[in-house]
Amino acid sequence: KQAFAKFIGDRVLYANQIEFVDLIINHLTEQGMMDKRRLYESPFTDIDDQGVSGLFQTADVTALIDLLESVKGRAAA
């Protein structure tokens, strides 16, 4: 959660972008990890039909995927 809070805090985000990150956090809270492909599936595509790529610049998409991979690595350890 802290890493995603830092992601939000380091950027000026629109409400729909914050909602998107909140969905990620909720998914991680419930499931423990998340495959990056989920960022292009419902409920994420309910916010923008292109998923993460429709809401964020390429660098931010990469940062979010890196965060997911980091969580996955810690969960596997």
Side-chain angles (χ1 to χ4, degrees), residues 7 11 13 17 52 55-65:
F7 176 87
R11 293 158 178 80
L13 299 178
Q17 292 172 311
V52 69
L55 291 171
F56 294 95
Q57 301 276 334
T58 302
D60 288 338
V61 172
T62 300
L64 284 169
I65 291 172

Side-chain angles (χ1 to χ4, degrees), residues 7-59:
F7 176 87
I8 291 172
D10 288 348
R11 293 158 178 80
V12 176
L13 299 178
Y14 295 105
N16 58 351
Q17 292 172 311
I18 294 170
E19 181 182 0
F20 194 94
V21 175
D22 282 343
L23 278 175
I24 294 171
I25 293 168
N26 290 338
H27 183 88
L28 290 171
T29 300
E30 293 172 10
Q31 304 296 322
M33 69 171 91
M34 182 173 132
D35 189 286
K36 62 186 175 188
R37 292 175 289 195
R38 293 278 298 131
L39 298 174
Y40 297 95
E41 299 173 356
S42 184
F44 301 100
T45 53
D46 297 344
I47 298 173
D48 187 283
D49 61 352
Q50 295 178 30
V52 69
S53 297
L55 291 171
F56 294 95
Q57 301 276 334
T58 302

